[in-house]
Amino acid sequence: MRKILTSLLLMFFLFMGRNVCCQADEISESELYARSACLMDADSGRVLFEKEAETQLPMASTTKIMTCILALEQGNAQDLVTVSARAAGQPRVHMGAEEGEQFLLGDLLYALMLNSDNDAAVMIAEHIGGSVEGFAEKMNLKAAEIGCTATHFVTPNGLDAEDEYGVHSTTARDLALILRYCIMESPQKDLFLEITRTPSYTFWNNGHTKMYNCTNANVFLGMMDGALTGKTGFTADAGYCYVGALQWEGKTFIVSLLACGWPSNKGYKWSDTRKLMTYALQNYEYRDVFDESPLPVLPVENGQYEELGIGEEAVTALSYGVPAGELSLDLLLKEDEQVEVVRDLPQTLAAPVRQGQQVGCVRYLLNGQVLKEYPVFAERTVEEKDFAWCLRKVEENYRL
């Protein structure tokens, strides 16, 4: 009886252990504290997991990633910035700079991203945009350029605000797209990463009368191997927010969280970030899904070329425009995800056809979403049959 009970218990624990392992690989919306969350593949911009990722919410100081990248792209680190009364009056967290003080723009970017100083954000905005409102216009233009569909900037620091066009807000998806731009696409991506990864930074005002110290508040940098960058945020309306990136074994993931608890739930954002990043690392791997099957040879109606016989049908081979051996498509996929290959090609072509003319495409889809599209080209020129060509072919046959 003892042996039977022992065997049954052993089987029970093995079964439970197997279930726990399976469940550990999955994640559900209910497991996250954040009201809105997005896990994104930084290489492709594909959303891998979402929880109300299209819900527009305030985003607090995560706003400052946009402020930083615009300053890097449109300013100069050696520019001298003067503190206005508006900048000096910003609430905590702030440098406490006084009206009339001057700083190098490059130094202010560390105060912006490490300490999250609100006055530094206004100084930068007024210098780059002429005013806070002018800079907000630049922020909104850049957001649209990046592909954000539900983002509205009012301030450069993320303090709760509203104008005639709406509330200062974004979505988890848009916020992830903005960080993706900062670290993957911007011409200043390397400098953005250098600033946001710096543990601490010290600088002086231009008069060398006061020293300022900055300490990086991004706990995530020391929390997981491969942690790349990120920005925290908190306001009364937004709650705790976070956007961060991790790079490991050739994979780069972005997590964005909005409304992830209020005091005293400061640690919720780190729990959610770790959970989503772990899920991504455990479940997604790169696979080459390129379809190597040959493209068809298409008949060309009423077509002709010199070597074609008078009773033969003109044809042209198709290609992708590059050698077949150079083509590959590495996509970040879960084990059970299968990519659908759709060949949008005609059955026949009509003369004339030109070499290099696009005649169709091959699309790669996942769950109905187009992940990649390859144009397909004709490999040869095929002219339209005319009287001169027919006469020439009759003469050739007659000589034979």
mmCIF file of all heavy atoms in Angstrom, residues 3 23 26 60 62 88 105 303 356 361:
data_model
loop_
_atom_site.group_PDB
_atom_site.id
_atom_site.type_symbol
_atom_site.label_atom_id
_atom_site.label_comp_id
_atom_site.label_asym_id
_atom_site.label_seq_id
_atom_site.Cartn_x
_atom_site.Cartn_y
_atom_site.Cartn_z
ATOM 1 N N LYS A 3 3.874 1.541 -1.241
ATOM 2 C CA LYS A 3 4.463 1.705 -2.568
ATOM 3 C C LYS A 3 3.450 2.322 -3.539
ATOM 4 O O LYS A 3 3.794 3.171 -4.360
ATOM 5 C CB LYS A 3 4.933 0.361 -3.090
ATOM 6 C CG LYS A 3 6.183 -0.166 -2.397
ATOM 7 C CD LYS A 3 6.607 -1.491 -3.002
ATOM 8 C CE LYS A 3 7.874 -2.021 -2.324
ATOM 9 N NZ LYS A 3 8.287 -3.312 -2.899
ATOM 10 N N GLN A 23 2.544 26.456 -17.826
ATOM 11 C CA GLN A 23 1.939 27.730 -17.488
ATOM 12 C C GLN A 23 2.984 28.833 -17.393
ATOM 13 O O GLN A 23 2.707 29.986 -17.690
ATOM 14 C CB GLN A 23 1.182 27.606 -16.166
ATOM 15 C CG GLN A 23 -0.072 26.734 -16.282
ATOM 16 C CD GLN A 23 -0.658 26.389 -14.941
ATOM 17 O OE1 GLN A 23 -0.165 26.831 -13.905
ATOM 18 N NE2 GLN A 23 -1.696 25.580 -14.939
ATOM 19 N N GLU A 26 3.489 30.787 -20.556
ATOM 20 C CA GLU A 26 2.399 31.627 -21.028
ATOM 21 C C GLU A 26 2.185 32.799 -20.085
ATOM 22 O O GLU A 26 2.670 32.819 -18.966
ATOM 23 C CB GLU A 26 1.114 30.802 -21.151
ATOM 24 C CG GLU A 26 1.227 29.642 -22.131
ATOM 25 C CD GLU A 26 1.572 30.095 -23.536
ATOM 26 O OE1 GLU A 26 1.131 31.194 -23.933
ATOM 27 O OE2 GLU A 26 2.283 29.365 -24.237
ATOM 28 N N ALA A 60 3.174 60.354 -18.044
ATOM 29 C CA ALA A 60 4.135 60.932 -17.101
ATOM 30 C C ALA A 60 5.510 61.144 -17.751
ATOM 31 O O ALA A 60 5.596 61.503 -18.919
ATOM 32 C CB ALA A 60 4.221 60.045 -15.851
ATOM 33 N N THR A 62 7.776 59.223 -18.903
ATOM 34 C CA THR A 62 8.233 58.468 -20.070
ATOM 35 C C THR A 62 8.215 59.371 -21.305
ATOM 36 O O THR A 62 8.875 59.084 -22.306
ATOM 37 C CB THR A 62 7.356 57.225 -20.315
ATOM 38 O OG1 THR A 62 6.002 57.623 -20.525
ATOM 39 C CG2 THR A 62 7.437 56.268 -19.133
ATOM 40 N N ALA A 88 12.412 77.710 -14.327
ATOM 41 C CA ALA A 88 12.791 77.752 -12.906
ATOM 42 C C ALA A 88 11.608 77.447 -11.998
ATOM 43 O O ALA A 88 11.793 77.005 -10.849
ATOM 44 C CB ALA A 88 13.368 79.124 -12.571
ATOM 45 N N LEU A 105 23.628 72.254 -23.291
ATOM 46 C CA LEU A 105 22.514 71.377 -23.633
ATOM 47 C C LEU A 105 22.856 69.917 -23.353
ATOM 48 O O LEU A 105 22.028 69.159 -22.839
ATOM 49 C CB LEU A 105 22.154 71.546 -25.110
ATOM 50 C CG LEU A 105 21.048 70.646 -25.657
ATOM 51 C CD1 LEU A 105 19.724 70.911 -24.952
ATOM 52 C CD2 LEU A 105 20.885 70.823 -27.160
ATOM 53 N N GLY A 303 3.641 38.123 -77.250
ATOM 54 C CA GLY A 303 5.015 38.559 -77.057
ATOM 55 C C GLY A 303 5.976 37.942 -78.044
ATOM 56 O O GLY A 303 5.701 36.884 -78.629
ATOM 57 N N GLY A 356 13.133 43.791 -65.476
ATOM 58 C CA GLY A 356 13.130 44.563 -64.234
ATOM 59 C C GLY A 356 11.778 45.166 -63.893
ATOM 60 O O GLY A 356 11.642 45.816 -62.856
ATOM 61 N N CYS A 361 4.148 40.300 -56.310
ATOM 62 C CA CYS A 361 4.888 40.278 -55.051
ATOM 63 C C CYS A 361 4.603 38.979 -54.301
ATOM 64 O O CYS A 361 3.653 38.256 -54.615
ATOM 65 C CB CYS A 361 4.526 41.479 -54.184
ATOM 66 S SG CYS A 361 2.796 41.495 -53.664
#
